[in-house]
């Protein structure tokens, strides 16, 4: 898609000037957009916003209800149900077909409604983290321009914007000025490495080095640019709809693994039932409706509905109560599964309000560091200083800054770990001074020192860091004045000036949050760029035992397997680069951990993308917020602990549904298959099976609103298919034994019930027993609270009570004959009560043995 460099292409009225072969000049572009280097006035911007619309990507229209219903049919369970209904209709089993169709419709309606509510909640959450842009505007034509933070949606062609490290590029822009600017443009080109960008008065051929596109993010440096295109006219809009979907989350993979195992069983069940009945009883296609009903009995058709309701409800409550915004619903489950949380030290364990420590700071170093901070901010046109520069400016004053004139700046970037301001002392026109500040190791490496001096300075840095302060090394160099731009290659042969020490007190909530996360089974690991001694001191202050600290340089040559072993037993990694952090998190995941990462800067971007769950505070840089799965209102571990609990709450209720429905259904299917082979008639008519399933499914919706017991929230929640299938097989077999015991009770109470004499009595007795055992399973296999509910029964208790009432009363109502069931003799009920009491006791004992209590 061509970038609008001219008025016609930009959609802004204006003359089309002569265009040089390489493309329009910067001045021609500004004239075509009817703007200038000072930007638009407020009135002009408002008029263009009204004419061109907001700077928003074209989004898909909200799907209609029929479309939502159609999409819900694509769920594998719903699709299998629908196919079974068609098979029933083809063999003229209209009752079975109608009940299956009712199940499909109910499931689809509930899922469509759940997705509608989730979409609304998601839109509201996205509005809470809407981005802003630094734009240069004037109140009127004669006024001086001012930098303002405005919503990205309000940008218009012709606006002049500032680009700073970590910012998302808000529109397609052309650079007017830049200082060491590099951008990540992987969303557009797939390039993983940052791409350098610089302004060009006359572009060189088809090159795009002077253009920066929406969807990119600033890796380092700064720039000033004019907006060429917004909204649907940007290049990003052209590829927005074709973006690849996110890979499946850990939750998606585990649920899908269980789902497809069950679907295979469902597809195998009808032919097995037909063959068994043909071989043993000589029955033909007349048993097909029963075979279909048995397959339907295995289906957890409410799974998509329960998952959507649990996750959407949890995300909404989390946002309201704690300001934690879940940007993708499955991430809430993954939060509950996190067992390792990696954090940076600064701003997470500390307050991120550093202050210069004058007792440990060299005065000459502070003077030069303050001048470098001020002139980097001015010459690089950065909108805001970072916390360390803020502390430097607070500790110095105009007498330090105004002693020089700013020439140029090389802003900080996380790979170089340095920032340089080039200044000129008044009256010395032939000389420039480079004031360099940055990480201790990087500055010392570039200083003209012998090894003995360098070792002495390193030892002094180690001693200071051991006292818990954060250090900034400062050096200078004098160079002959020149007009050619300075580069990182000029940061050599420096003269060391000293250290600036910063104190940053531990965050008020850090100690309590670390302890609470530990009690939840979450291990906190620290990945920091700071000195090992500084990291060790802070960790001990907040209750983290650092153990042996690993230096980032020590992991560079390790294989992934060795790094995984090291990461598993190490708590603190110091002097980490962005790539080190990402490798450690990837290694932890390779060891079977579910790893989360909390970060807020450009240097945290690789780690946020590598983690199972990336978490960013709302005050983080734009690109970090966009890459994160979860956004916190504050950079506070306490809020994250609440998010972990909310994730486990939702996951526990989903796991409850799967345990209850699958173990109960499997037990019924085993009993049906056994009875179908032993009895001269069908043990349960297809409509009875399907009505029973419909009642059970409706009751289980209450599980989405259950309150898990505290024990279910103390450990990470992970759905593992094999242990899960072992669990439902054991409890399913126990349910089948209860059903077979019921057959004995029916034979005692109704002597003709096991032959052709009293089919309705057999059907009624088993129908009642099935619903009562399902009500028991709902109460005893859930993760929800039991005695803690006290006098006010929760939704699950009410649902189970309603299910049991239907089981007892339905055979006595006028609907009973329609379903093929009749009233039962009084003797049956005490026998059934005894069977249910024994079944409940066996459930409790087996659950304790399985470790699920």
């Amino acid at each position: 898609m061509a970038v609008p460099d001219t008025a016609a292409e930009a959609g802004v009225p204006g003359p089309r000037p002569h265009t040089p072969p390489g493309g329009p000049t910067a001045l021609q572009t500004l004239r075509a957009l009817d703007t200038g280097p000072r930007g638009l006035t407020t009135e002009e911007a408002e008029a263009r916003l009204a004419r061109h619309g907001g700077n928003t990507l074209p989004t898909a229209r909200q799907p209609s209800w029929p479309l939502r219903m159609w999409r819900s049919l694509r769920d594998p369970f719903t699709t299998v149900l629908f196919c079974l209904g068609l098979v029933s209709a083809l063999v003229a089993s209209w009752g079975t077909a109608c009940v299956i169709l009712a199940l499909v419709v109910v499931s689809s309606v509930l899922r469509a409604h759940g997705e509608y509510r989730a979409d609304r909640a998601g839109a509201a959450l996205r509005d809470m983290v809407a981005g802003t842009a630094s734009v240069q505007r004037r109140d009127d034509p004669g006024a001086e321009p001012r930098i303002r933070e405005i919503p990205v949606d309000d940008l218009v062609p012709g606006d002049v914007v500032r680009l700073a490290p970590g910012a998302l590029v808000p529109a397609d822009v052309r650079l007017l000025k830049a200082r060491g600017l590099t951008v990540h443009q992987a969303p557009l080109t797939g390039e993983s490495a940052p791409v350098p960008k610089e302004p060009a008065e006359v572009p060189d051929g088809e090159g795009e080095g002077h253009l920066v596109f929406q969807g990119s993010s600033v890796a380092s440096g700064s720039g000033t640019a004019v907006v060429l295109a917004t909204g649907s006219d940007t290049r990003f809009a052209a590829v927005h709809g074709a973006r690849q979907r996110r890979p499946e989350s850990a939750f998606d993979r585990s649920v899908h693994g269980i789902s497809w195992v069950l679907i295979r069983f469902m597809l195998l069940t009808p032919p097995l039932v037909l063959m068994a009945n043909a071989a043993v009883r000589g029955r033909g296609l007349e048993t097909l409706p029963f075979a279909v009903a048995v397959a339907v009995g295995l289906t957890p058709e409410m799974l998509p509905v329960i998952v959507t309701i649990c996750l959407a409800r949890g995300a909404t409550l989390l946002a309201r109560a704690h300001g934690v915004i879940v940007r993708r619903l499955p991430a809430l489950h993954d939060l509950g599964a996190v067992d390792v949380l990696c954090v940076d030290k600064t701003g997470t364990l500390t307050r991120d309000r550093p202050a210069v420590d004058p007792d440990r700071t060299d005065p000459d170093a502070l003077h030069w560091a303050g001048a470098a901070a001020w002139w980097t901010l001015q010459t690089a046109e950065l909108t805001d200083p970072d916390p360390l520069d803020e502390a430097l400016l607070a500790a110095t004053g105009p007498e330090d800054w105004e002693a020089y004139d700013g020439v140029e700046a090389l802003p900080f970037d996380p790979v170089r770990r340095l920032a340089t301001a080039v200044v000129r002392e008044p009256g010395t026109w032939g000389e420039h001074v480079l004031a360099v500040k940055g990480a201790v190791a990087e500055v010392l490496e570039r200083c003209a020192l012998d090894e003995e001096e360098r070792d002495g300075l390193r030892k002094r840095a180690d001693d200071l860091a051991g006292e818990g302060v954060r250090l900034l090394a400062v050096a200078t160099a004098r160079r002959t004045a020149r007009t050619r731009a300075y580069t990182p290659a000029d940061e050599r042969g420096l003269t060391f000036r000293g250290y600036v020490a910063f104190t940053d007190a531990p965050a008020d909530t850090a100690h309590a949050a670390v302890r609470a996360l530990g009690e939840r089974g979450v291990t906190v690991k620290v990945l920091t760029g700071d000195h090992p001694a500084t990291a060790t001191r802070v960790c001990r202050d907040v209750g983290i035992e650092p153990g042996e600290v690993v230096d980032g340089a020590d992991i560079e040559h390790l294989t992934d397997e060795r790094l995984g072993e090291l990461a598993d037993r190490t708590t603190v990694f110091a002097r980490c680069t962005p790539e080190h952090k990402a490798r450690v998190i990837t290694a932890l995941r390779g060891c079977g951990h579910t790893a989360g990462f909390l970060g807020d800067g450009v240097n945290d971007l690789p780690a946020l993308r590598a983690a199972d769950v990336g978490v960013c505070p709302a005050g983080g840089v734009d690109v970090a917020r966009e890459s994160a799965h979860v956004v916190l209102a504050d950079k506070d571990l306490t809020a994250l602990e609440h998010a972990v609990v909310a994730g486990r709450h939702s996951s526990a209720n989903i796991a409850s549904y799967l345990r209850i429905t699958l173990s109960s259904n499997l037990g019924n299917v085993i009993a049906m298959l056994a009875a179908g082979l032993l009895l001269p008639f069908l043990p349960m008519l297809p409509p009875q099976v399907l009505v029973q399933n419909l009642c059970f499914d409706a009751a289980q919706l209450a599980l989405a609103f259950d309150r898990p017991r505290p024990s279910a929230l103390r450990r990470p929640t992970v759905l593992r298919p094999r242990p899960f299938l072992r669990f439902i097989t054991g409890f399913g077999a126990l349910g089948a034994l209860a059903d077979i015991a019921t057959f004995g009770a029916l034979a005692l109470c109704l002597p003709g019930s096991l032959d052709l004499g009293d089919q309705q009595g057999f059907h009624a007795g088993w129908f009642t027993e099935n619903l009562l055992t399902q009500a028991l399973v709902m109460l005893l296999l859930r993760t929800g609270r039991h005695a803690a509910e006290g006098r006010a029964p929760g939704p699950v208790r009410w649902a189970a009570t309603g299910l049991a009432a239907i089981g007892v009363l339905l055979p006595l109502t006028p609907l009973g004959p329609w379903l093929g069931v009749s009233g039962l003799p009084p003797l049956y009920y005490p026998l059934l009560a005894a069977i249910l009491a024994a079944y409940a006791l066996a459930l409790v004992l087996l659950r304790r043995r399985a470790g699920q209590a």
Side-chain angles (χ1 to χ4, degrees):
M1 175 178 176
V3 176
D5 271 349
T6 66
E9 290 173 306
V12 179
R16 182 188 294 271
H18 170 69
T19 302
T25 65
L27 181 59
Q28 287 172 332
T29 298
L30 291 171
R31 286 177 177 172
L33 292 164
D34 196 17
T35 187
R38 301 199 306 161
L40 301 172
T41 64
T42 302
E43 184 179 352
E44 289 171 336
E46 289 174 352
R48 295 189 185 192
L49 184 62
R51 184 162 66 245
H52 300 294
N55 178 33
T56 56
L57 289 172
T59 56
R61 294 173 56 190
Q62 286 295 320
S64 62
W65 279 99
L67 181 57
R68 288 183 188 275
M69 292 284 289
W70 172 252
R71 287 180 179 175
S72 67
L73 292 174
R74 293 184 298 183
D75 174 74
F77 288 121
T78 308
T79 302
V80 170
L81 271 181
F82 189 72
C83 293
L84 293 174
L86 290 179
V87 171
S88 300
L90 289 175
V91 297
S93 179
W94 303 112
T96 304
C98 288
V99 176
I100 291 178
L101 181 61
L103 283 172
V104 170
V105 170
V106 169
S107 175
S108 298
V109 167
L110 290 173
R111 184 175 187 185
H113 179 66
E115 288 182 348
Y116 171 73
R117 293 187 61 185
D119 287 347
R120 288 184 60 187
L125 296 179
R126 285 191 294 272
D127 289 342
M128 293 174 66
V129 289
T132 62
S134 299
V135 63
Q136 190 171 286
R137 284 186 180 170
R138 298 167 290 153
D139 293 328
D140 55 67
E144 286 298 314
R146 291 188 299 113
I147 302 299
R148 311 176 188 184
E149 288 291 321
I150 68 168
V152 169
D153 293 357
D154 293 345
L155 280 182
V156 295
D159 265 327
V160 174
V161 296
R162 297 281 183 90
L163 303 177
L168 282 172
V169 179
D172 286 356
V173 300
R174 175 171 179 160
L175 291 174
L176 302 177
K177 291 187 289 185
R179 301 276 184 178
L181 183 67
T182 63
V183 300
H184 289 288
Q185 52 186 31
L188 289 166
T189 65
E191 297 171 275
S192 57
V195 178
K197 297 285 184 176
E198 58 185 17
E201 182 58 30
V202 179
D204 181 16
E206 297 298 321
E208 295 181 337
H210 62 301
L211 303 174
V212 188
F213 303 104
Q214 185 181 35
S216 306
S217 59
V218 179
S220 63
S222 61
T224 301
V226 61
V227 174
L228 302 174
T230 59
S232 58
D233 294 327
T234 61
R235 180 177 292 190
F236 188 58
V239 300
H240 179 66
R243 290 183 301 174
Q244 292 185 346
R245 295 176 59 187
R246 278 183 180 266
E248 285 187 330
S249 68
F251 173 67
D252 294 330
R253 291 192 297 272
S254 60
V255 170
H256 288 175
I258 295 170
S259 299
W260 283 109
V261 170
L262 293 171
I263 286 173
R264 293 187 187 101
F265 276 119
M266 289 167 59
L267 295 176
L268 286 173
T269 298
L272 288 176
V273 172
L274 287 173
M275 288 187 293
N277 276 274
V280 177
R281 291 290 178 180
R283 298 169 184 157
L285 286 177
E286 67 270 16
T287 59
L288 180 59
F290 175 69
V292 169
V294 172
V296 172
L298 275 172
T299 310
E301 57 271 3
M302 290 291 111
L303 179 60
V305 182
I306 296 288
V307 168
T308 302
I309 293 174
C310 286
L311 296 181
R313 183 170 179 267
T316 303
L317 293 176
L318 197 55
R320 288 176 184 169
H322 303 290
V324 178
I325 300 159
V326 180
R327 302 182 69 244
R328 193 173 59 91
L329 285 182
L332 185 60
H333 165 272
D334 293 342
L335 263 176
V338 163
D339 61 344
V340 174
L341 176 65
C342 299
V343 301
D344 189 6
K345 174 186 73 67
T346 306
T348 305
L349 303 179
T350 63
R351 296 179 182 176
D352 202 16
R353 291 197 294 269
V356 172
D357 183 344
D359 296 333
R360 298 182 179 90
T361 295
D362 299 314
D364 192 36
L366 179 61
H367 165 78
W368 282 107
W374 172 258
W375 286 112
T376 298
L377 192 65
Q378 300 304 312
T379 57
E381 298 181 344
L382 299 175
T383 53
D384 295 300
D386 65 27
L388 288 183
D389 281 351
E390 224 171 351
L392 289 171
L393 295 176
T396 56
E399 66 277 8
D400 297 291
W401 319 329
E402 295 174 359
Y404 310 97
D405 295 323
V407 176
E408 193 176 347
L410 299 175
F412 178 86
D413 74 67
V415 175
R416 210 169 96 254
R417 302 180 73 199
L418 299 172
T420 297
V422 182
V423 298
R424 181 179 57 246
E425 294 177 309
T428 56
W429 296 101
E431 189 176 65
H432 290 163
V433 179
L434 277 66
V436 182
K437 58 183 175 66
V440 172
E442 278 67 19
V443 171
L444 291 180
E445 181 186 339
R446 290 164 173 79
C447 288
L449 300 167
D450 58 39
E451 280 307 310
E452 184 177 350
E453 291 175 312
R454 191 173 279 111
D455 289 342
L457 291 171
R458 287 197 189 105
K459 184 178 184 309
R460 184 183 168 213
D462 291 343
D463 293 340
L464 288 171
E467 297 173 13
V469 297
R470 186 175 180 183
L471 291 181
L472 200 65
V474 183
T476 61
R478 295 186 178 273
R479 299 283 188 266
T480 302
R482 71 191 196 199
T483 56
R484 179 168 48 87
Y486 286 87
T487 69
D490 295 303
E491 298 166 334
R492 297 287 177 184
L494 308 178
T495 300
F496 185 74
R497 294 290 182 174
Y499 294 125
V500 179
F502 299 87
T503 56
D504 191 4
D508 296 334
T509 60
H511 196 285
V514 168
R515 185 177 65 251
L517 286 168
E519 291 171 354
R520 302 286 181 191
V522 179
T523 302
V524 178
K525 294 181 182 287
V526 179
L527 312 181
T528 180
D530 286 344
H531 191 282
T534 305
T536 298
R537 177 68 175 267
V538 172
C539 286
R540 287 189 173 133
D541 287 344
V542 298
I544 297 175
E545 180 51 49
E548 183 180 351
V549 180
V550 173
D551 195 293
D554 296 337
I555 70 174
E556 289 185 354
H557 304 296
L558 293 180
T559 64
D560 292 341
E561 184 179 355
R562 290 285 305 281
L563 179 57
E565 296 171 359
L566 180 65
D568 205 24
R569 64 175 186 267
T570 301
T571 301
V572 180
F573 290 85
R575 291 198 263 227
C576 288
T577 66
E579 289 70 27
H580 292 153
K581 295 180 181 181
R583 276 201 71 199
V584 169
I585 289 173
T586 302
L588 287 169
R589 294 182 65 190
C591 291
H593 294 287
T594 302
F597 181 77
L598 172 60
D600 66 347
V602 182
N603 58 326
D604 296 322
L605 196 57
L608 284 169
R609 290 172 174 166
D612 287 291
V613 185
V615 185
C616 178
V621 297
D622 295 348
V623 66
R625 284 203 313 270
E626 287 297 316
S627 299
H629 305 94
V630 177
V631 177
L632 306 180
D634 299 301
K635 196 172 184 179
D636 183 359
L637 283 178
T638 303
L640 194 54
E641 190 257 340
H642 290 305
V644 168
V645 171
R648 293 181 184 178
H649 187 137
S650 298
S651 301
N653 286 344
I654 294 169
S656 282
Y657 168 76
L658 285 170
R659 274 200 300 269
I660 290 167
T661 193
L662 295 179
S663 58
S664 177
N665 289 355
L666 183 61
N668 286 341
V669 167
I670 293 172
M672 284 183 190
L673 292 174
L677 296 176
L678 298 174
L679 298 177
F681 56 87
L682 293 179
M684 191 174 286
L685 298 178
Q688 295 165 0
V689 177
L690 299 172
V691 168
Q692 173 186 286
N693 284 347
L694 189 59
C695 294
F696 190 32
D697 289 337
Q700 288 181 104
L701 287 175
L703 291 170
F705 304 91
D706 199 14
R707 293 180 60 195
R709 286 175 294 175
S711 60
L713 307 178
R714 291 194 193 111
R715 57 185 182 272
T717 305
V718 181
L719 291 172
R720 295 186 176 91
R722 288 186 179 179
F724 203 84
L725 291 174
R726 284 198 299 268
F727 179 91
I728 64 173
T729 300
F731 282 91
L734 182 60
L737 289 176
D739 290 338
I740 292 171
T742 302
F743 299 163
L746 287 169
L748 182 63
C749 298
L750 298 169
S753 62
L754 298 187
D755 54 35
L756 297 174
D758 192 0
Q759 295 183 42
Q760 281 198 347
F762 182 90
H763 292 156
W766 197 19
F767 181 85
T768 297
E769 185 264 351
N770 264 335
L771 290 184
L772 291 174
T773 55
Q774 287 171 340
L776 275 177
V777 168
M778 283 185 63
L779 292 174
L780 298 179
L781 291 191
R782 62 195 257 251
T783 56
R785 302 183 180 188
H786 293 198
E789 287 178 348
R791 296 182 180 178
V796 176
R797 281 189 176 185
W798 284 115
T801 302
L803 186 64
I806 291 172
V808 173
L809 299 177
L810 185 62
L812 307 177
T813 67
L815 293 175
W818 179 79
L819 278 177
V821 296
S822 60
L824 293 162
L827 178 61
Y828 174 70
Y829 293 103
L831 292 175
L832 178 60
I835 292 171
L836 292 175
Y839 178 56
L841 179 62
L843 278 177
V844 172
L845 294 176
L846 184 58
R847 178 168 179 171
R848 287 179 179 173
R849 183 176 179 182
Q852 298 294 324

